[in-house]
Amino acid sequence: MNPAALAQVADYFKLLSESSRLQVLCTLKEGALSVSEIVAASGLGQANVSKHLKLLHQAGVVSRTPRQGCVYYEICDSTVFELCEVVSQRLVQHLAEQQAVLSHWR
């Protein structure tokens, strides 16, 4: 990969490196929600949710749809969940490996 492409990959991973942002994405997994619904479901503050939604929208991960005086957000790039699943599986595997080493020393 060329340096420009690598920089874009790094930026995408930076987008997913914030746990609150991942929490916002998880609240949207089941469908479109307004900011106030995301705030209620996530327990995060309104300003924080709005900031994360702006970044996710700019990156093309979520879409915005105005409806009845509210803006609804929904996932438009579900690969974020595939990436999270790959990372989660690797973490489980790594933890199992660590436990095996530790149990050997007991």
Side-chain angles (χ1 to χ4, degrees):
M1 285 184 121
N2 67 45
L6 288 173
Q8 287 184 332
V9 170
D11 287 344
Y12 193 80
F13 279 111
K14 284 179 197 171
L15 182 75
L16 300 179
S17 70
E18 167 61 50
S19 61
S20 295
R21 204 167 295 132
L22 291 173
Q23 190 174 356
V24 168
L25 288 171
C26 285
T27 62
L28 293 171
K29 196 170 187 176
E30 299 304 317
L33 296 172
S34 68
V35 173
S36 60
E37 291 169 328
I38 297 168
V39 167
S42 68
L44 299 170
Q46 189 273 328
N48 201 12
V49 167
S50 293
K51 174 186 77 170
H52 292 309
L53 287 169
K54 179 182 177 184
L55 293 170
L56 292 165
H57 181 257
Q58 288 172 341
V61 176
V62 300
S63 62
R64 300 167 38 118
T65 306
R67 280 196 303 220
Q68 303 165 350
C70 284
V71 176
Y72 283 79
Y73 292 85
E74 65 184 318
I75 303 294
C76 62
D77 179 3
S78 62
T79 58
V80 296
F81 298 117
E82 294 169 31
L83 288 170
C84 288
E85 184 62 30
V86 167
V87 172
S88 294
Q89 289 173 0
R90 177 59 190 125
L91 291 173
V92 166
Q93 179 185 8
H94 184 69
L95 182 59
E97 291 166 359
Q98 285 181 326
Q99 286 176 327
V101 168
L102 289 174
S103 66
H104 176 336
W105 292 102
R106 289 185 186 164

